[in-house]
Amino acid sequence: RDGLVTFDELLPLLHPDDGYLGGIAELTDLDPRNAVDFQFRMRHADGRWIWLRARGRGLTLAGVDHPRFVGIVVDITEQLELAARNAAADHRIREAIETISEAFLVCDGPDRIVVCNSKFRELNGLSEEQALPGGRYNEILAATGGGARVKDGRILSDRSHDGSRDLEVELVDGRWLQISERRTHCGGFVSVGTDITALKRHETQLTASEQRLRVSVTDLERSRYKLEMQTQQLAELAEMYSEQKNEAEEANRAKSEFLAAMSHELRTPLNAIIGFSEVMKDGHFGPLGAVKYVEYARDIHDSGHFLLALIDDILDMARIEAGRLTLEPTPTCLEE
């Protein structure tokens, strides 16, 4: 409304915890050289509390007994609410960064630390005080002697046009890390380090198993070749010596039994490999976690079927050689 408003009218509208405004009315020596700046709450006409900011100075007028306070009052409710929302969002983001299992780092253009989590500090041997925001990342590592001790590494992908790249490094303590670096629009970068030690050990075990399987297949092929040579030699001698022919037939039967026995011994673990990998691939007992695990389970499943088909082919060849397989020729379209 127009006209002057007295402190007696304002006091009932003030928040009980913000009584400083009323105290100004009782001041007798407001120094004009000192600015007054404070925040307080008042009751809005609709009943809610709003935040106000008062800024001004004392003013002494000639002929006036009491000093005056002259200034402006601005509604800062929306500003404070926005600041509170931003603070809450920042807290949630920092809490999420802290709870992830990867080592996480964000730097700005001059390579100053913006935020990092405890996993990153632990990996690089830094305390929370040493890795405070604003410090230059490389200078901190050089001054503290920090940084992950790398034994060996390889680049998974070279830097692209935006400066992004992926690394895979082995630490001196035996751990493996996969580091993904991505450049931000402001010229900084985001680095995420994932511990892939268990995955690398699993890959090593799979490689060793694959090598053993290859050796087994090679041995089977050599055994088959030797048996075929023996069969051919026995067939040639059978024309002259019926006794040796009988021995050749016996050797051929032994070969078939050997292949059948080997097929059984290989099928038994293969059934387990195919069955369990299918359970893992389809997630019957819950998700595996990383997408790579699903890909590996699918590869194990497909490789098991491939090896099973290979064993079936070997048995078919054995049946053909033993004369227990009848072929029925039919016209075939070669283009199809």
Side-chain angles (χ1 to χ4, degrees), residues 317-332:
M317 291 298 297
R319 293 191 188 96
I320 292 173
E321 292 171 357
R324 296 199 299 269
L325 190 65
T326 302
L327 299 180
E328 296 180 1
T330 57
T332 304

Side-chain angles (χ1 to χ4, degrees), residues 67-176:
R68 300 287 183 91
F69 172 75
V70 179
I72 61 173
V73 179
V74 181
D75 187 345
I76 60 171
T77 305
E78 185 176 351
Q79 177 183 346
L80 292 181
E81 290 177 350
L82 179 60
R85 289 196 297 269
N86 289 339
D90 182 71
H91 175 73
R92 286 193 293 269
I93 291 175
R94 291 179 179 273
E95 190 176 46
I97 292 174
E98 182 62 30
T99 54
I100 62 177
S101 59
E102 288 80 8
F104 187 86
L105 169 70
V106 178
C107 287
D108 60 10
D111 287 347
R112 292 178 302 217
I113 295 177
V114 177
V115 63
C116 64
N117 62 2
S118 59
K119 302 293 188 307
F120 173 81
R121 295 193 296 271
E122 177 185 353
L123 177 65
N124 291 277
L126 301 175
S127 65
E128 190 170 353
E129 292 74 18
Q130 292 170 332
L132 289 175
R136 292 186 179 273
Y137 171 59
N138 293 325
E139 293 179 0
I140 291 175
L141 294 184
T144 60
R149 302 296 188 268
V150 177
K151 177 182 178 182
D152 190 16
R154 63 190 182 97
I155 300 176
L156 300 178
S157 61
D158 293 329
R159 289 193 182 276
S160 59
H161 64 281
D162 60 356
S164 301
R165 66 171 180 171
D166 294 313
L167 308 172
E168 195 174 83
V169 297
E170 182 184 9
L171 305 183
V172 294
D173 59 3
R175 290 183 298 166
W176 281 85

Side-chain angles (χ1 to χ4, degrees), residues 202 206 273-274 277 295-305:
H202 187 60
L206 285 178
I273 292 173
I274 294 173
S277 61
E295 295 178 4
Y296 292 152
R298 187 181 299 111
D299 291 342
I300 294 171
H301 184 266
D302 295 340
S303 298
H305 274 291

Side-chain angles (χ1 to χ4, degrees), residues 10 12-16 40-52:
L10 290 179
L13 303 178
L14 290 175
H15 194 281
F40 61 96
R41 284 165 289 183
M42 290 190 68
R43 181 76 73 179
H44 192 273
D46 60 9
R48 58 188 173 92
W49 293 106
I50 62 172
W51 278 96
L52 302 174

Side-chain angles (χ1 to χ4, degrees), residues 259-333:
L259 291 176
M262 287 301 296
S263 172
H264 175 73
E265 294 299 325
L266 288 176
R267 282 173 179 270
T268 300
L270 270 180
N271 289 333
I273 292 173
I274 294 173
F276 290 143
S277 61
E278 184 174 0
V279 171
M280 295 167 64
K281 175 173 66 71
D282 297 336
H284 289 295
F285 298 104
L288 293 178
V291 177
K292 280 289 185 183
Y293 291 158
V294 179
E295 295 178 4
Y296 292 152
R298 187 181 299 111
D299 291 342
I300 294 171
H301 184 266
D302 295 340
S303 298
H305 274 291
F306 174 80
L307 187 55
L308 187 61
L310 184 61
I311 294 172
D312 291 337
D313 291 342
I314 294 175
L315 289 178
D316 287 340
M317 291 298 297
R319 293 191 188 96
I320 292 173
E321 292 171 357
R324 296 199 299 269
L325 190 65
T326 302
L327 299 180
E328 296 180 1
T330 57
T332 304
C333 181

